[in-house]
Amino acid sequence: MKNNLSPIHPLDQWISQIKQGQKQLSVLVDPDKCPLEMVPELLRNLPRQTSHLFVGGSTVAPGLTQDLVRTIKNLSNLPLWIFPGDAEQISPLADGLLFLSLVSGNNPEYLIGQQARAAAILRTMQLPTIATAYLLIDGGVDSAVARVTGTHPLAIDDPEKILNRAMAAYHMGAKAIYLEAGSGAHNPVPAEIIRRVKMATDLPLIVGGGLRELDQIHNAWSAGADMVVVGTAMEEVLSLTQ
Ligand code: 1GP
């Protein structure tokens, strides 16, 4: 039972922010690309709209995530959610965990395998989770997600398939949807797809991949994204991308 001292679950807080019409921007920090000594500069350079930080990556060396989360939490009050490439990236110091299921693909390892490993880790800590259906959409590049998970992105000219996958996740109990064009995507998720997924599911909607310009971010918000995620553009500001 909740008492007055219980922290608000990040999902409840997020839903109430969405109901108030607040659009959100999350900056994705990849532990493989952000050395700990860069964290103060990263935090100084965050766009003023930044509401959240995501930490995670497709291929992160063990241990790096914990150190990065600890360093960020010492310096910033922004809510920090783990956006894990695999179960080893879970950190008890975070404020929440996107409990992802890669429903765009048919690889059982990313539909239930990693999730079972994550469940075992979660039994040892108290970390709020947000059940999130993760859909990889073709962004015009070979994405790390496709490579690491051995799955194909969904084609943008087949919106019915995208909708069916999103709706299946809704019926399976997903609490949020994440439309991902892939890091460094040439083409962000099209507005029409964002609009249709939002209308069909009415779930909190995260959109990321290839968002660089302010107008792209505003387009995603206007189409129905509640939160957009920016990674590469921020890395470029800090010269972290080779
Ligand atoms: C988050 O993978 C994205 O959804 C980040 O993409 O690196 O292209 O911003 P970018």
Side-chain angles (χ1 to χ4, degrees), residues 28 83 178 180 182-185 208-211 229-233:
L28 171 61
F83 172 48
Y178 194 136
E180 168 72 86
S183 186
L211 295 169
V229 185
V230 173
T232 304

Side-chain angles (χ1 to χ4, degrees), residues 2 7-19 130:
K2 284 190 177 174
I8 303 173
H9 192 288
L11 181 61
D12 296 337
Q13 191 169 31
W14 190 23
I15 289 172
S16 102
Q17 288 163 341
I18 290 169
K19 284 192 179 141
I130 301 172

Side-chain angles (χ1 to χ4, degrees), residues 180-212:
E180 168 72 86
S183 186
H186 289 161
N187 315 313
V189 179
E192 183 58 13
I193 289 175
I194 298 174
R195 195 182 64 77
R196 291 185 65 178
V197 169
K198 182 65 180 178
M199 276 182 62
T201 64
D202 200 27
L203 287 172
L205 183 57
I206 306 172
V207 174
L211 295 169
R212 294 167 171 280

Side-chain angles (χ1 to χ4, degrees), residues 122-219:
L122 287 169
R123 290 171 66 189
T124 68
M125 61 181 74
Q126 290 217 321
L127 179 62
T129 57
I130 301 172
T132 305
Y134 188 53
L135 287 89
L136 181 62
I137 314 280
D138 190 1
V141 282
D142 243 355
S143 67
V145 178
R147 208 168 46 247
V148 170
T149 63
T151 63
H152 296 292
L154 299 172
I156 56 173
D157 60 3
D158 192 356
E160 289 302 316
K161 184 164 181 184
I162 297 172
L163 274 180
N164 288 339
R165 294 264 165 161
M167 286 306 293
Y170 166 85
H171 289 300
M172 289 191 291
K175 298 285 187 286
I177 307 262
Y178 194 136
L179 299 176
E180 168 72 86
S183 186
H186 289 161
N187 315 313
V189 179
E192 183 58 13
I193 289 175
I194 298 174
R195 195 182 64 77
R196 291 185 65 178
V197 169
K198 182 65 180 178
M199 276 182 62
T201 64
D202 200 27
L203 287 172
L205 183 57
I206 306 172
V207 174
L211 295 169
R212 294 167 171 280
E213 309 294 338
L214 214 51
D215 63 334
Q216 294 175 316
I217 290 173
H218 279 285
N219 286 346

